[in-house]
């Protein structure tokens, strides 16, 4: 999303300015072209030379210094960007923007800029919570300016509360999501993804489960978000951090996953079921931790069949494009093709989980896509993010037909 984007970064005089040096560097690493405009106050915290070095372009501060196209011709700089980011945005610049003041280079360029504007307020909590600042922010929101909420925590002035500039990774995620929602090919689509394994309790401390880490499903969710979709991630227990901007529904058992999926299902356009669902559950769950068993007698746990979530969804299918996964250790194509039919799927992603680099808890996967018409597409060993990205390409192609 950021590759090739022209971003004007407006920097005002706040202590969080040090994070913006890193931000500019990271934006460039992601392929964005960046030009920095600083206020005179900001230039007292950090030399414009540093931003010039990091951005690869002269850093503009004053209307009057130099006569190159971007310092004097502020309209040219305003028109250059695809996106304008103000970070950190002090109470002062927010007030100026709300009033339409243009008394220095940054406020002038901002007033002239036709591109989308994002502001990242960062200041002392009292200043942030002051009614004047809040009203100014509301004015900006009403005018279509996007306001990234500040983080809470300890501030440079020694107080604690809202007003911290979010971390650089969070600002980048915000920019990516902002662009994805405007330009991504999946914008406007609702996608339900399931991930990780479900667990069926035996007693209060033990469960029947499987080796799914959630990596495959989380990759699908992340890629769909980057393409602008609204993503609901129904996830079994996982050590992974869910991708930002997903609606996350944590579940433990197959029944909980079924209930969550049924609730979301009527409204979604695409379902991708990467979760490894426990097919069986203990017939009864012990109230207390089961003590050691007699080695001669052993222990038998009676199991019941769990509902098949995907088959249930397939039986109720309306507008939804339904994608299943098939985790197999033998007869991959035959078993996967049967699942397409039995579960009324539009596509299945088959992985032989006995192959090195494929299946459970790896960063890579080796998959084959199968369709109801019998066609098969085999992918080589790829990262799970790449598998997810190609999977979404195919979903989008097939939905159009
Ligand atoms: O999470 P990772 O560590 O990254 O591992 C990825 C993965 C191996 C879990 C993933 O690539 C995968 O194969 N997921 C599907 C696992 C599975 O349950 O496969 P299955 O062949 O048993 O089930 C077929 C399909 O029916 C799956 O989409 C499954 O979600 C669904 N199902 C299965 C049983 C059941 N009771 N309800 C279901 O909805």
């Amino acid at each position: 999303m950021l590759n090739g984007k022209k971003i004007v970064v407006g920097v005002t005089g706040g202590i969080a300015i040090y994070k913006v040096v890193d931000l500019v560097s990271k934006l460039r690493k992601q392929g964005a072209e960046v030009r920095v405009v600083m206020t005179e106050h900001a230039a007292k915290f950090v030399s414009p030379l540093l931003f010039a070095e990091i951005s690869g372009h002269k850093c503009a501060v004053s209307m009057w210094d130099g006569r190159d196209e971007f310092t004097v011709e502020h309209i040219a700089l305003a028109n250059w960007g695809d996106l304008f980011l103000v970070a950190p945005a002090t109470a002062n610049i927010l007030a100026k923007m709300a009033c339409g003041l243009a008394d220095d280079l940054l406020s002038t360029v901002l007033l002239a800029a036709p591109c989308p504007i994002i502001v990242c307020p960062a200041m002392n909590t009292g200043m942030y919570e002051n009614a004047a600042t809040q009203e100014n922010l509301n004015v900006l929101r009403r005018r279509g300016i996007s306001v990234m909420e500040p983080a809470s925590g300890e501030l440079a002035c020694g107080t604690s509360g809202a007003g911290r500039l979010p971390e650089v990774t969070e600002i980048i995620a915000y920019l990516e999501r902002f662009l994805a929602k405007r330009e991504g090919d999946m914008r406007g689509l609702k996608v339900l993804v399931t991930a990780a394994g479900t667990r069926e309790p035996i007693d209060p401390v033990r469960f029947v489960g499987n080796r799914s880490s959630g990596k495959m499903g989380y990759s699908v969710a992340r890629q769909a978000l980057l393409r602008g979709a609204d993503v609901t991630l129904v996830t079994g227990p996982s050590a992974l951090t869910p991708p930002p901007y997903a609606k996350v529904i944590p579940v433990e058992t197959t029944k909980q996953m079924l209930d969550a999926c049924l609730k979301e299902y009527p409204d979604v356009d695409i379902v991708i079921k990467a979760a490894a669902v426990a097919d069986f559950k203990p017939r009864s769950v012990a109230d207390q931790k089961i003590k050691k068993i007699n080695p001669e007698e052993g222990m038998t746990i009676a199991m019941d069949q769990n509902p098949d979530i995907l088959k249930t969804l397939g039986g109720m299918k309306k507008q939804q494009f339904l994608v299943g996964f098939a985790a197999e250790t033998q007869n991959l194509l035959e078993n996967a093709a049967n699942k397409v039919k039995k579960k009324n799927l539009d596509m299945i992603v088959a992985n032989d989980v006995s192959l090195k680099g494929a299946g459970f808890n790896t960063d890579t996967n080796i998959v084959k896509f199968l369709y109801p018409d019998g066609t098969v597409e085999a992918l080589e060993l790829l990262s799970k993010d790449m598998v997810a990205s190609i999977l979404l390409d195919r979903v989008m192609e097939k939905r159009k037909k």
Side-chain angles (χ1 to χ4, degrees):
M1 270 294 159
L2 291 166
N3 192 20
K5 283 279 173 297
K6 292 177 177 167
I7 304 177
V8 183
V9 178
V11 182
T12 64
I15 195 78
I17 198 169
Y18 70 94
K19 290 186 186 169
V20 181
V21 176
D22 186 31
L23 173 66
V24 170
S25 159
K26 295 230 162 67
L27 289 174
R28 285 197 72 201
K29 282 194 187 122
Q30 296 215 16
E33 205 183 333
V34 182
R35 289 186 184 265
V36 178
V37 191
M38 294 174 91
T39 60
E40 307 252 352
H41 287 145
K44 292 200 192 303
F45 283 92
V46 167
S47 164
L49 268 180
L50 182 59
F51 277 114
E53 283 301 314
I54 302 272
S55 69
H57 291 289
K58 187 173 187 305
C59 172
V61 181
S62 161
M63 305 270 276
W64 314 113
D65 57 9
R67 296 195 62 81
D68 75 30
E69 58 176 326
F70 286 119
T71 48
V72 173
E73 292 293 323
H74 53 266
I75 301 296
L77 182 50
N79 287 332
W80 174 84
D82 300 317
L83 190 66
F84 208 132
L85 173 75
V86 187
T90 54
N92 189 46
I93 193 74
L94 297 172
K96 286 204 226 179
M97 289 171 78
C99 290
L101 279 181
D103 66 349
D104 64 359
L105 183 66
L106 177 59
S107 54
T108 306
V109 177
L110 274 165
L111 199 58
C115 65
I117 300 174
I118 298 173
V119 293
C120 299
M123 65 200 74
N124 157 276
T125 307
M127 293 169 80
Y128 177 68
E129 289 176 350
N130 187 293
T133 304
Q134 289 303 315
E135 276 175 32
N136 288 334
L137 284 169
N138 284 336
V139 167
L140 298 182
R141 285 190 189 98
R142 277 204 300 279
R143 290 187 196 143
I145 290 176
S146 179
V147 179
M148 183 179 187
E149 297 299 319
S152 289
E154 215 166 290
L155 298 164
C157 55
T159 58
S160 191
R164 278 171 66 93
L165 187 70
E167 296 309 317
V168 170
T169 49
E170 291 166 328
I171 298 176
I172 289 182
Y174 189 90
L175 293 185
E176 284 176 333
R177 184 65 181 156
F178 181 86
L179 291 169
K181 291 291 278 177
R182 295 174 74 93
E183 300 170 9
D185 64 343
M186 295 185 78
R187 66 187 187 279
L189 291 176
K190 292 194 169 71
V191 181
L192 171 63
V193 180
T194 69
T198 56
R199 292 175 176 178
E200 300 298 342
I202 298 171
D203 69 13
V205 297
R206 303 180 181 91
F207 58 84
V208 179
N210 60 66
R211 298 175 196 281
S212 174
S213 61
K215 286 181 182 176
M216 190 67 248
Y218 281 47
S219 285
V220 173
R222 186 164 42 248
Q223 293 303 317
L225 285 158
L226 285 172
R227 294 167 80 143
D230 291 322
V231 175
T232 301
L233 177 63
V234 178
T235 176
S238 167
L240 304 177
T241 306
Y245 304 106
K247 172 182 165 188
V248 181
I249 305 179
V251 296
E252 190 144 338
T253 65
T254 299
K255 174 73 170 60
Q256 289 167 358
M257 185 171 276
L258 172 69
D259 290 345
C261 288
L262 285 176
K263 192 155 173 259
E264 299 295 315
Y265 195 55
D267 290 336
V268 299
D269 303 291
I270 298 163
V271 179
I272 302 180
K273 279 218 81 259
V277 182
D279 278 305
F280 326 105
K281 64 171 183 181
R283 181 159 293 168
S284 61
V285 181
D287 288 341
Q288 304 299 330
K289 184 181 167 193
I290 298 169
K291 294 294 171 197
K292 290 210 167 22
I293 54 170
N294 180 335
E296 317 262 277
E297 286 173 10
M299 181 167 76
T300 304
I301 299 177
M303 304 283 266
D304 283 333
Q305 183 72 40
N306 256 332
D308 189 318
I309 304 170
L310 194 50
K311 199 170 167 201
T312 310
L313 301 182
M316 304 161 56
K317 193 162 75 173
K318 290 202 172 97
Q319 80 284 358
Q320 300 89 348
F321 189 95
L322 201 51
V323 183
F325 269 69
E328 307 292 343
T329 53
Q330 57 183 345
N331 304 329
L332 179 70
L333 289 179
E334 196 187 326
N335 289 337
N338 281 338
K339 285 176 184 169
V340 172
K341 275 203 198 92
K342 273 207 305 222
K343 304 191 186 203
N344 192 22
L345 306 181
D346 297 295
M347 181 177 176
I348 202 161
V349 183
N351 43 191
D352 180 339
V353 293
S354 63
L355 292 181
K356 193 165 181 286
F360 294 100
N361 203 15
T362 52
D363 292 329
T364 54
N365 209 350
I366 307 166
V367 304
K368 291 185 168 63
F369 298 150
L370 282 78
Y371 303 96
D373 64 4
T375 51
V376 177
E377 179 185 8
L379 302 189
E380 60 205 2
L381 180 130
L382 294 168
S383 70
K384 282 183 174 167
D385 271 341
M386 191 52 85
V387 169
S389 171
I390 300 173
L391 162 58
L392 295 176
D393 286 346
R394 298 297 173 268
V395 170
M396 293 304 281
E397 287 158 20
K398 294 280 170 190
R399 276 185 87 246
K400 274 192 204 136
K401 286 186 184 159

